[in-house]
């Protein structure tokens, strides 16, 4: 099934757009007809490649650097988007850091703060500005937050990540209520194991096979599979879906509680 034309005339902002799920979302949104502002942490070849690929799909594309956890930088980035494309009506929040692997008793405050600021506060700052601009303009839109199955499946050493992702899930649901009267949907995608730089340990084939054995579907997912879902949730076809979390994990999270 092709999504071509589904998002024609729309303007999207994708955070974490230089790699992994964010990069796949940027390309899929462009494929579906949207112009795409690619928010990146720092400029590099990967970011340039995503911008080039958006342009190659016949859409407008621009990479804009900002730390999503920094209020002034997020505001500056959205000013730049508005100045370049106009007010965006699709926001995909994909920027994030992975768990530290450190138990709470041993975790530095700086680590906790860095992860919460990126994975949760970043989502708040971008969403707040996005909704303010659309509300001023009186237009509808869609927010898609990339959370994780670890919003509800806990891991020792992952308190920074599970707390941030759980917060992101509830931010999604709370904003869905607040934004419904504005015609803005707010949904989450909760991926399981997806082959991106965040899952670099899967580059080792033995490690990957071990991890994939835990997944009922028998394989990890791809960023493109997540991106197709993001396009759907941003599209008019999903206008009556809000506050939902769509799990995309090959059944991994269904295995909780088994084996003991
Ligand atoms: N890969 C997986 O298995 C998986 C599973 C569940 C959820 N997720 C979530 O998906 C999202 C995307 O992750 P990914 O797998 O594509 O990994 P990734 O590392 O490829 O992407 C994360 C992106 O976030 C950006 N980023 C990090 N800190 C930032 C900051 N302070 N400001 C702006 N950008 C920043 C990075 O530059 C990077 O481009 C994350 O929120 C992650 O938690 C990933």
């Amino acid at each position: 099934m092709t999504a071509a034309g589904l998002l024609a005339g729309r303007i999207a902002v994708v955070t974490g757009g230089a790699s992994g799920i964010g990069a796949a979302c940027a390309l899929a949104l462009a494929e579906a007809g949207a112009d795409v502002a690619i928010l990146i942490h720092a400029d590099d070849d990967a970011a340039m490649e995503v911008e080039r690929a958006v342009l190659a799909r016949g859409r407008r594309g621009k990479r804009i650097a900002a730390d999503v956890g920094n209020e002034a930088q997020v505001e500056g980035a959205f000013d730049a988007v508005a100045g370049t494309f106009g007010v965006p009506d699709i926001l995909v929040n994909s920027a994030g850091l992975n768990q530290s692997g450190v138990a709470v008793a041993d975790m530095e405050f700086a680590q906790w703060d860095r992860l919460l600021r990126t994975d949760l506060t970043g989502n708040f700052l971008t969403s707040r500005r996005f909704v303010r601009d659309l509300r001023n303009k009186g237009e509808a839109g869609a927010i898609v937050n990339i959370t994780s199955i670890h919003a509800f499946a806990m891991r020792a050493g992952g308190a920074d990540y599970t707390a941030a992702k759980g917060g992101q899930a509830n931010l999604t649901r709370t904003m869905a209520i607040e934004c419904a009267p504005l015609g803005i949907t707010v949904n989450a995608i909760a991926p399981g194991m997806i082959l991106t730089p965040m899952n670099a340990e899967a580059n080792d084939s033995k490690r990957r096979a071990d991890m994939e054995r835990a997944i009922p579907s028998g394989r990890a997912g791809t960023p493109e599979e997540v991106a197709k879902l993001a396009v759907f949730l941003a599209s008019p076809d999903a206008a009556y879906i809000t506050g939902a979390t769509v799990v995309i994990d090959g059944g991994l999270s269904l295995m909780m509680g088994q084996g003991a």
Side-chain angles (χ1 to χ4, degrees):
M1 188 186 70
T2 172
L6 193 60
L7 303 178
R10 306 281 299 272
I11 299 168
V13 173
V14 181
T15 76
S19 67
I21 293 168
C25 286
L27 299 196
L29 290 163
E31 198 83 47
D35 295 328
V36 186
I38 307 142
L39 261 60
I40 56 175
H41 199 188
D43 206 8
D44 59 11
D45 288 349
M48 275 188 274
E49 177 53 31
V50 176
E51 183 185 278
R52 193 202 58 72
V54 167
L55 296 171
R57 282 160 175 75
R59 306 313 318 164
R60 294 186 297 171
K62 186 173 170 60
R63 56 191 203 283
I64 297 166
D67 176 346
V68 293
N70 180 304
E71 184 176 19
Q73 289 186 28
V74 169
E75 290 294 318
F78 273 78
D79 288 346
V81 174
T84 308
F85 297 143
V87 169
D89 57 3
I90 296 171
L91 171 62
V92 177
N93 281 304
S94 188
L97 298 169
N98 204 357
Q99 67 164 37
S100 58
V102 177
V104 170
D106 299 316
M107 194 183 295
E108 299 290 341
F109 172 71
Q111 165 59 31
W112 170 265
D113 189 47
R114 191 168 69 103
L115 207 137
L116 269 285
R117 218 165 11 86
T118 305
D119 291 34
L120 179 56
T121 304
N123 202 141
F124 160 78
L125 291 171
T126 56
S127 301
R128 183 182 66 173
R129 172 61 187 264
F130 177 81
V131 171
R132 282 179 175 167
D133 286 353
L134 276 182
R135 186 177 59 186
N136 286 343
K137 225 177 152 206
E139 286 188 1
I143 298 177
V144 180
N145 295 325
I146 310 299
T147 60
S148 168
I149 59 168
H150 296 297
F152 54 87
M154 302 307 123
R155 286 194 288 195
D160 43 7
Y161 191 69
T162 57
K165 291 295 174 183
Q168 214 189 352
N170 280 337
L171 176 65
T172 302
R173 284 145 37 104
T174 307
M175 285 192 68
I177 301 172
E178 295 174 355
C179 295
L182 303 172
I184 302 169
T185 60
V186 189
N187 290 295
I189 295 175
M193 178 186 174
I194 309 296
L195 296 171
T196 72
M198 191 174 278
N199 258 323
E201 56 184 323
N203 291 338
D204 176 85
S205 56
K206 180 172 177 320
R207 178 70 187 127
R208 175 170 164 181
D210 286 346
M211 293 163 83
E212 288 182 323
R213 256 192 292 281
I215 303 172
S217 293
R219 66 170 179 87
T222 67
E224 291 74 23
E225 288 175 306
V226 179
K228 281 183 202 165
L229 193 49
V231 167
F232 169 68
L233 289 173
S235 78
D237 290 345
Y240 201 54
I241 301 175
T242 197
T245 292
V246 183
V247 172
I248 177 165
D249 70 346
L252 175 59
S253 59
L254 300 174
M255 303 305 285
M256 280 192 298
Q258 299 192 42

